[in-house]
């Protein structure tokens, strides 16, 4: 590949600096954290908050129900009367005089009356209420509790309305203790209660003091976070770049000017993703440690490419103005190709790809590089690589080959489930921060998205289009564009199969793209038939839509003569492969001789390729007699055609006789109907022929 | 078949003949036209090795760097991972010979264990007296330094020799 710094380092070179670690690119991560948490909280948390609330406290409506209030009032009144009784008894225990006793009695009765008027009673009791209550509580708490229980929530509510701070102050001292006690006794309950609000809480905390949050978490899950963040940020960048970049807009505009529709553009963009070659390159020297390439395609000059890439990377690093961030060149666009790089300490992987890389390709790249480093990096092999290929173990090219063969199939998520999130969960629980599950949830979603991605990629009809799954709450949302409603439905079904627990929101847009199956089939048929005309053979093609395959059928033609057809058929957008099913060894009697319009002259190639073999065949089989049938196309008048048809047969008979065949063995006939297997809709030349039928 | 790859760099002032030396060595050609190199150009040459070696052939990846001027320092990152360097000067321009020392320091700064070969190029432009004078006036008695070789990209004098000697030392 002729990459030279003169032309590829300048504007053509697109550089994505790696926003990968938390402390290096604060803005990016801020954005990402916010987005992530918002994503977590938006849909799935709010409904649960409502769902949990009733279990914690009865709502106002319950408290205010008339029945309960009356009952409570009655009970309270009883209680107070009891209290007063006690007071009375104590007072009367003082034996002073009976007159005093009468006054007491009177007062008591008065009081009793007043007791029925709550307002009066309130006034009376208020000053001593606290004392009374204390006494009663000391005496028989069990009685107080049910009475108070009925109104306690109301009390708190009222109090909190009138003086929130005071109440907060009182409660503040007890709540942490209460929670930690409850955590010990029934941890699940607490977690369930807090969980729904967790995401929101974190969002808020991030908003208030992001740095503190990051600092608190970094020692434990720094790497994990930064990886997630990097991913999210790059996804966002990508999206923003694609939709908003000046380049993108210009591209759209220019396409409009050129008269290419959006729909066509989608197809162009949707070149199936393919990895052409993968190189493991020593970072400093640019020497190739290992390289694997697709067989069949033209091999890339690994050494030169690796050298140039390394030089370009050095150049880019040198040019990056900000010395604090060590920016890495991770992608180079070159004509139809993209070179995607994943960089580690001493080496980097460069994958030469075509088509839009699916999101999980970068993950796969990273997995591959990680396993290379884990398996071979520590012995110094990578660091001290000195160009000696004997030291490179076979397992390295083997790992790279995986990227060629299955560029998007990730290692089984199950393995990771055990190793990563549960470990995280445990750690975080130990720390008393039940944050783990937030990440776990995010991680789970990510897994589902990956699985959907993979399923789409595995479906031949869908793999072509950029279908983006995303999860919000319990809903799986598909966005993107496909060329037909059928495909839209199919995508929905594929997604549901992978994630049956989720509700599907199929937001795929159907854009009618020009190469619909009919158009492809028609185009292919045109091409095939005109090609057949060139070769003087009848060829037809069918389009197998499910496999995006064109099937070409017809008489025997040498591979080197038919290959150009296969090549040009493959160029038709929407055609994945071409299958040639040409009949093996045709009998010379099965051949048809084709004529120019209105002509009865046998073309020279028809003479040499068809008539001469036929003569040889007839001479070898002296018992065979032939019916020679002339046909015409439907153009021209019927009268002329009726003459033309037998004339063509006669011309062929004469030719055969001249070549030494006895005329008695040859019968002549003509018809204006098309020959068998040719219909009105086929090309006209197919009907302008002479064919043979073997008699007896 | 055992192949070992090595990276070497061409370093020297502009116009001394770095690109011409590579062209002579790899393509066996020479041109009088001067096309100044921009950035880096990489060439490859497979050098067969004598049969007694356990390595059959050496694949040299030669990085041709753009010439240095007073204003444009060479990028040390390009020198990274380079097992050897060929420092080139132009015998008709004394200042280019004076700069050899700077290039040496730069290279050893990046690769202390690397090998250096020094080419005093364009010797076809000198007569034989001048040649002896150039050779004696340079003192480079340090380990890991080969030469100086009196080369000519134009006639091919010492061109193969300087590359193969450097290659041999890098493999040893
Ligand atoms: N007579 C003569 N001319 C030479 C020789 N080597 C190079 N030249 C000429 O010197 C000029 C510069 O040669 P280059 O090889 O381009 O020099 P360079 O060191 O690559 O220059 P930069 O890329 O600018 O650093 C050209 O015109 C060459 O023809 C030589 O051995 N003899
Ligand atoms: Mg040059």
């Amino acid at each position: 590949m002729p990459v030279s710094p003169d032309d590829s380092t300048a504007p053509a070179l697109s550089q994505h600096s790696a926003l990968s670690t938390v402390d290096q690119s604060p803005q990016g991560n801020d954005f990402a954290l916010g987005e992530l948490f918002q994503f977590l909280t938006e849909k799935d948390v709010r409904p649960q908050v409502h769902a949990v609330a009733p279990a914690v406290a009865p709502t106002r409506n319950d408290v205010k129900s008339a029945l309960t209030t009356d009952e409570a009032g009655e009970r309270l009144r009883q209680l107070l009367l009891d209290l007063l009784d006690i007071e009375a008894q104590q007072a009367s225990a003082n034996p002073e005089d009976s007159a005093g006793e009468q006054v007491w009695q009177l007062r008591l009765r008065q009081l009793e009356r007043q007791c029925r008027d709550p307002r009066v009673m309130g006034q009376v009791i208020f000053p001593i209420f606290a004392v009374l209550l204390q006494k009663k509580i000391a005496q028989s708490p069990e009685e107080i509790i049910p009475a108070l229980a009925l109104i306690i929530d109301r009390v708190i509510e009222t109090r909190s309305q009138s003086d929130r701070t005071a109440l907060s102050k009182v409660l503040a001292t007890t709540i942490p203790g209460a929670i930690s006690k409850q955590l010990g006794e029934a941890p699940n309950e607490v977690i369930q209660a807090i969980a729904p609000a967790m995401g929101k809480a974190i969002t808020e905390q991030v908003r208030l003091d992001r740095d503190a949050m990051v600092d608190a978490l970094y020692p434990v899950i720094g790497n994990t976070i930064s990886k997630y963040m990097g991913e999210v940020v790059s996804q966002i960048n990508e999206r923003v770049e694609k939709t908003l970049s000046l380049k993108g807009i210009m591209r759209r505009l220019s396409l409009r000017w050129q008269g290419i529709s959006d729909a066509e553009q989608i197809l162009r963009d949707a070149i199936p993703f393919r990895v052409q070659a993968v190189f493991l390159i020593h970072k400093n020297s640019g020497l190739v440690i290992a390289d694997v390439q697709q067989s069949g395609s033209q091999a890339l000059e690994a050494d030169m490419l690796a050298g140039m890439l390394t030089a370009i990377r050095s150049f880019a690093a040198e040019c990056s103005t900000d010395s604090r961030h060590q920016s890495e060149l991770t992608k180079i666009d070159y004509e139809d190709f993209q070179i995607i790089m994943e960089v580690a300490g001493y080496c980097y992987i460069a994958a030469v790809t075509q088509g839009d890389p699916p999101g999980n390709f970068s993950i796969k790249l990273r997995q591959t590089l990680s396993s290379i480093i884990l398996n071979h990096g520590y012995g110094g092999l990578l660091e001290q690589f000195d160009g000696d290929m004997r030291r490179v173990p076979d397992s390295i090219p083997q790992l790279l080959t995986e990227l060629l063969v299955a560029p998007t199939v990730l290692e089984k998520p199950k393995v990771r489930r055990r190793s990563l999130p549960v470990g995280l969960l445990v750690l975080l629980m130990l720390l008393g921060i039940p944050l783990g599950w937030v990440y776990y949830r995010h991680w789970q979603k990510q897994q589902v998205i990956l699985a959907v991605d993979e399923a789409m990629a595995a479906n031949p009809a869908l793999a072509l289009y950029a279908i983006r799954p995303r999860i919000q709450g319990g809903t799986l949302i598909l966005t993107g564009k496909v060329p037909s409603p059928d495909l839209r439905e199919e995508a929905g079904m594929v997604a549901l199969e992978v994630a049956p627990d989720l509700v599907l929101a199929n937001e795929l847009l159907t854009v009618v793209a020009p190469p619909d199956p009919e158009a492809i089939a028609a185009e292919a048929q045109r091409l095939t038939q005109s090609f057949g005309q060139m070769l003087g053979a009848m060829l037809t093609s069918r389009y197998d839509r499910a496999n995006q395959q064109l099937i070409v059928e017809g008489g025997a033609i040498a591979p080197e003569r038919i290959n150009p057809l296969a090549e040009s058929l493959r160029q038709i957008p929407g055609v994945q492969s071409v299958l040639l099913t040409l009949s093996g060894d045709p009998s010379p009697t099965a051949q048809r001789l084709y004529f120019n319009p209105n002509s009865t002259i046998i073309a020279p190639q028809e003479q040499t390729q068809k008539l001469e073999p036929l003569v040889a065949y007839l001479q070898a089989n002296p018992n065979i007699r032939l019916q020679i049938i002339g046909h015409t196309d439907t153009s021209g008048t019927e009268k002329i055609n009726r003459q033309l048809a037998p004339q063509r047969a006669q011309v062929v008979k004469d030719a055969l006789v001249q070549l030494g065949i006895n005329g008695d063995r040859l019968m002549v006939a003509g018809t204006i109907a098309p020959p068998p297997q040719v219909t009105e809709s086929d090309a006209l030349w197919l009907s302008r022929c002479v064919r043979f039928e073997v008699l007896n | 078949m055992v192949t070992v790859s090595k990276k070497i760099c061409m370093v020297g002032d502009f116009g001394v003949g770095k690109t011409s030396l590579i062209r002579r060595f790899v393509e066996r050609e020479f041109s009088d036209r001067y096309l100044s190199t921009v950035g880096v150009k990489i060439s490859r040459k497979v050098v067969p090795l004598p049969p007694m070696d356990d390595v059959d052939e050496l694949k040299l990846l030669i990085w041709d760097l753009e010439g240095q001027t007073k204003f444009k320092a060479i990028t040390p990152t390009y020198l990274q991972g380079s097992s050897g360097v060929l420092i080139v000067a132009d015998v008709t321009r004394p200042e280019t010979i004076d700069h050899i020392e700077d290039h040496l320091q730069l290279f050893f700064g990046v690769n202390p264990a690397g090998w250096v070969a020094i080419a005093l190029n364009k010797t076809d432009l000198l007569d034989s007296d001048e040649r002896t004078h150039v050779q004696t006036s340079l003192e480079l008695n340090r380990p890991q330094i080969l030469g100086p070789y009196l080369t000519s990209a134009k006639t091919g004098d010492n061109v193969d020799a300087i590359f193969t000697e450097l290659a041999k030392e890098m493999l040893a």
Side-chain angles (χ1 to χ4, degrees), chain B residues 15 17-20 34-38 64-67:
Chain B
K18 299 180 292 294
T19 307
S20 301
Y34 175 30
L35 290 169
S36 193
T37 307
V38 180
D64 182 10
L65 308 185
E66 86 187 350

Side-chain angles (χ1 to χ4, degrees), chain A residues 356-374:
Chain A
D356 216 8
N360 53 0
F361 180 64
S362 63
I363 304 174
K364 174 90 178 185
L365 263 187
R366 202 154 53 227
Q367 274 183 2
T368 309
L369 191 56
S370 301
S371 39
I372 290 175
I373 293 168
L374 283 174

Side-chain angles (χ1 to χ4, degrees), chain B:
Chain B
M1 172 67 88
V2 178
T3 306
V4 170
S5 314
K6 294 284 178 198
K7 166 184 174 180
I8 63 171
C9 289
M10 305 291 287
V11 175
D13 290 6
F14 70 94
V16 293
K18 299 180 292 294
T19 307
S20 301
L21 283 171
I22 296 173
R23 198 137 179 247
R24 167 62 71 191
F25 178 55
V26 177
E27 293 163 38
R28 309 261 148 223
E29 272 172 18
F30 175 80
S31 156
D32 276 319
R33 279 182 59 208
Y34 175 30
L35 290 169
S36 193
T37 307
V38 180
V40 187
K41 186 173 176 292
I42 296 173
S43 312
R44 176 184 47 191
K45 166 104 176 175
V46 177
V47 185
L49 295 172
M52 60 272 195
D53 239 311
D54 59 342
V55 179
D56 302 301
E57 56 177 38
L58 174 66
K59 199 192 282 169
L60 274 184
L61 286 150
I62 309 165
W63 290 42
D64 182 10
L65 308 185
E66 86 187 350
Q68 284 78 68
T69 64
K70 222 196 245 169
F71 308 102
K72 209 193 263 167
I74 186 194
T75 326
T77 44
Y78 289 141
L79 293 174
Q80 282 178 357
S82 185
S83 313
V85 68
L86 218 150
I87 297 178
V88 187
D90 177 348
V91 282
T92 64
R93 283 156 62 205
E95 80 279 5
T96 64
I97 302 179
D98 297 340
H99 290 155
I100 291 177
E101 188 57 37
D102 301 338
H103 301 315
L104 278 172
Q105 275 182 14
L106 185 82
F107 177 69
F108 284 126
V110 178
N111 294 312
W115 281 87
V116 177
I118 291 173
L120 301 179
N121 192 37
K122 305 196 190 177
T123 48
D124 57 288
L125 297 174
L126 301 179
D127 58 36
S128 52
D129 283 5
E130 285 170 314
R131 254 176 252 178
T132 12
H133 175 70
V134 172
Q135 194 149 26
T136 45
S137 71
L138 254 168
E139 281 185 47
L140 295 163
N141 300 322
R142 287 207 244 159
Q144 296 162 256
I145 299 183
L146 309 173
Y149 292 78
L150 297 181
T151 61
S152 166
K154 188 168 185 170
T155 64
D157 259 12
N158 265 337
V159 175
D160 282 357
I162 194 170
F163 278 102
T164 10
E165 286 307 312
L166 182 62
K168 260 191 226 159
E169 291 302 336
M170 291 187 314
L171 273 179

